Amino acid sequence: MSTPTAHLSAEGVSIWLDDLSRQRIITGNLADLIATRNVVGVTTNPTIFAGALSKGEAYEGQVAVLAQRGASTDEAIFEITTDDVRAASDVFRPVFDATNGVDGRVSIEVSPDLAHDTEATIAQAKELWATVDRPNALIKIPATKAGLPAITEVIGSGISVNVTLIFSLERYAAVIDAYLAGVEQAKAAGIDISTIQSVASFFVSRVDTEVDKRLTAIGTPDAEALKSKAGVANARLAYELFEREFATDRAKALLDAGATVQRPLWASTGVKDPALPDTLYVTELVAAGTVNTMPEKTLEATFDHGVISGDTITGNYADAHDVFDRLAAAGVDFADATQVLEDEGVEKFIASWHELQATVTTALQSALETSK
């Protein structure tokens, strides 16, 4: 019997899990999700690692060794997280090989503290890539203004990149340009550009949260009628932009030379409003050549009762444009909303990073005391 996740995969959507822990790796849970839920990749972020390390048991042995060695908090985080990503990459290696390098990918993010520092982002991205040392890793770089030139430089070095924290079409267009510029640099340097993969992580549910807050403040019937529509409409217009930008002469010349398209990835696909269907940001964003990275709760909801009815994006561009026309008419400043979301997104990841640092600092101290 075909499952909803199998159907989703058949429609050309790559299902990635938005979570990773050592427990998932060593218990075989990750391998099980590949076998039973059609999962073909993993994304991580500081929040995910903070949660994994706070549960702790699977990391106790390594933390003890690091403590005895006198590792600093940041050195310990770097070693623990790159070990997890390397191990997960090995679990996904058969998927990577079977899809010719398209899927089987595991993402690891540069420190959010570097989000506004281009050179430091480039340096850490290269260090993460070299340390994980797996062809199916992806280095996550945020789509901040400082992140854009870093994306070009890192891709130009032959490194595969997951561009994260994209909220607006304007910034997404700049991300595509940064990717193409990076591939052009790599090609000029004699790098095999067919080995470079990239995804552009376009956030969905957070857009609805911010816009719906503004619609509530406006309070008119027209505003109320637009609630929970902006996130899906914005993502659909992103796919329209993707189709257009990768059909240009510039993009086609690179694709003809062996480059791959930078796939749109739907992130933040867990529903924040409990009144909404729990599979909304999966079933309404189906199109070939996309990635949907799901929290486990959303993955299980999709597997259990997701209704996959074919492509739900490309035939809905006019409706998506209409939603944005109506949002503007209602008084929503969408450019301001997406800037707020980017600023908050960076701040949230920085807060999670600091929480991760605190967790690891405590664990190192505890391990030293235990060993006395």
Side-chain angles (χ1 to χ4, degrees):
M1 188 180 75
S2 180
T3 64
T5 54
H7 191 174
L8 188 61
S9 296
E11 290 292 339
V13 178
S14 293
I15 301 170
W16 290 4
L17 177 70
D18 193 26
D19 192 51
L20 182 64
S21 68
R22 191 159 298 177
Q23 194 73 9
R24 284 194 188 278
I25 298 166
I26 62 181
T27 61
N29 169 265
L30 205 52
D32 185 59
L33 292 174
I34 294 170
T36 66
R37 300 293 188 267
N38 305 92
V39 170
V40 292
V42 157
T43 47
T44 68
N45 59 46
T47 306
I48 285 167
F49 277 124
L53 271 131
S54 68
K55 297 184 181 75
E57 299 85 355
Y59 298 96
E60 285 174 359
Q62 185 173 19
V63 169
V65 171
L66 289 164
Q68 287 299 318
R69 197 199 302 161
S72 70
T73 295
D74 284 354
E75 287 168 348
I77 290 171
F78 190 88
E79 190 162 323
I80 290 166
T81 56
T82 53
D83 280 0
D84 276 2
V85 169
R86 188 182 307 106
S89 296
D90 290 344
V91 173
F92 278 99
R93 185 58 191 255
V95 176
F96 173 83
D97 292 337
T99 61
N100 198 28
V102 174
D103 282 313
R105 296 277 170 174
V106 184
S107 296
I108 185 169
E109 190 158 350
V110 296
S111 165
D113 280 332
L114 309 179
H116 302 297
D117 186 332
T118 302
E119 293 307 317
T121 293
I122 292 167
Q124 192 175 83
K126 290 180 176 180
E127 186 183 13
L128 285 167
W129 180 258
T131 303
V132 173
D133 193 25
R134 294 294 184 272
N136 51 328
L138 283 172
I139 308 303
K140 282 178 87 171
I141 298 175
T144 55
K145 287 178 181 173
L148 293 170
I151 291 158
T152 296
E153 172 67 25
V154 172
I155 287 169
S157 303
I159 294 170
S160 294
V161 172
N162 175 344
V163 183
T164 190
L165 286 177
I166 307 171
F167 296 97
S168 72
L169 296 177
E170 292 74 17
R171 186 57 57 83
Y172 180 35
V175 165
I176 295 172
D177 178 68
Y179 170 69
L180 294 174
V183 176
E184 287 164 347
Q185 281 187 20
K187 183 171 178 285
I191 292 167
D192 179 0
I193 57 175
S194 70
T195 65
I196 302 169
Q197 283 284 337
S198 184
V199 293
S201 296
F202 211 85
F203 281 54
V204 187
S205 68
R206 290 193 199 179
V207 170
D208 274 340
T209 301
E210 178 63 27
V211 171
D212 286 3
K213 186 167 67 178
R214 294 172 184 235
L215 291 168
T216 297
I218 293 166
T220 63
D222 285 348
E224 290 293 326
L226 286 164
K227 282 189 172 179
S228 305
K229 295 186 184 299
V232 167
N234 195 39
R236 286 171 173 169
L237 294 181
Y239 193 81
E240 182 184 40
L241 179 64
F242 157 74
E243 287 192 311
R244 188 166 66 241
E245 291 299 317
F246 280 94
T248 62
D249 290 343
R250 178 192 187 191
K252 283 195 287 192
L254 290 170
L255 297 175
D256 288 345
T260 60
V261 296
Q262 180 188 53
R263 290 183 293 168
L265 177 151
W266 313 130
S268 182
T269 56
V271 172
K272 304 285 194 290
D273 182 350
L276 296 175
D278 55 2
T279 61
L280 177 72
Y281 302 123
V282 177
T283 60
E284 296 305 305
L285 293 174
V286 178
T290 59
V291 180
N292 194 309
T293 186
M294 309 179 199
E296 189 169 25
K297 186 177 177 183
T298 304
L299 173 65
E300 290 302 327
T302 301
F303 178 80
D304 180 66
H305 54 263
V307 178
I308 311 302
S309 55
D311 181 337
T312 50
I313 293 181
T314 60
N316 287 303
Y317 293 152
D319 287 345
H321 282 286
D322 180 60
V323 167
F324 271 79
D325 290 343
R326 289 161 60 201
L327 284 169
V332 173
D333 184 343
F334 195 75
D336 179 71
T338 53
Q339 188 58 56
V340 166
L341 284 164
E342 180 184 307
D343 293 343
E344 284 183 356
V346 172
E347 285 166 13
K348 284 176 182 174
F349 279 156
I350 288 173
S352 294
W353 186 256
H354 293 166
E355 179 189 331
L356 177 58
Q357 288 174 318
T359 299
V360 171
T361 299
T362 302
L364 289 168
Q365 290 168 346
S366 176
L368 281 175
E369 287 165 11
T370 303
S371 67
K372 285 178 184 174

